[in-house]
């Protein structure tokens, strides 16, 4: 069993930066794929970024490529999402998730989810 806890969300002005953290309890296997998703009001949840826990390969949605960076600290069992050049359209609840079976951008394949953290970007 894996429990995920996000933190770091808050109100920030457009152009600003935030770093989200996702602390995991329990063992994370090398084959696990860790993803960040977001859901804005009235919209479907969407994949933002992901990382292979073992080798560290990273993947991004086109909408955040070049602005967001996902990383992980194996010793701390934590995944980070560094978000730069934030835009109002980045406003959403951000959730991290773990897929035991590897790479996926589809939320229904993920096995574990955190409770989410609110990111609000204002002009």
């Amino acid at each position: 069993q894996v429990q995920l806890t996000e933190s770091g969300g808050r109100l920030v002005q457009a152009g600003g930066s935030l770093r989200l953290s996702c602390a995991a309890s329990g063992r994370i296997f090398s084959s696990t794929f860790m993803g960040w998703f977001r859901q804005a009001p009235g919209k479907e949840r969407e994949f933002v970024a992901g990382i292979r826990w073992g080798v560290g390969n990273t993947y991004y949605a086109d909408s955040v490529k070049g602005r967001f960076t996902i990383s992980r600290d194996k010793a701390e069992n934590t995944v980070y999402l560094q978000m730069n050049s934030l835009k109002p359209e980045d406003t959403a609840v951000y959730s991290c998730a773990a897929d035991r079976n590897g790479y996926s951008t589809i939320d229904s394949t993920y096995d574990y989810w955190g409770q989410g953290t609110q990111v609000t970007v204002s002009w």
Side-chain angles (χ1 to χ4, degrees), residues 102-113:
Y103 171 83
S104 174
T105 62
I106 309 299
D107 58 359
S108 60
T109 69
Y110 282 72
D111 304 286
Y112 306 105
W113 288 86

Side-chain angles (χ1 to χ4, degrees), residues 32-45:
T32 299
F33 191 76
M34 301 295 295
W36 281 99
F37 288 79
R38 67 185 181 186
Q39 187 167 23
K43 294 189 176 182
E44 296 287 318
R45 185 161 54 188

Side-chain angles (χ1 to χ4, degrees), residues 79-102:
V79 177
Y80 301 99
L81 185 67
Q82 177 67 42
M83 306 187 294
N84 298 329
S85 302
L86 283 161
K87 306 175 182 179
E89 51 263 44
D90 294 318
T91 295
V93 174
Y94 284 71
S95 300
C96 71
D99 190 323
R100 294 176 297 180
N101 296 313

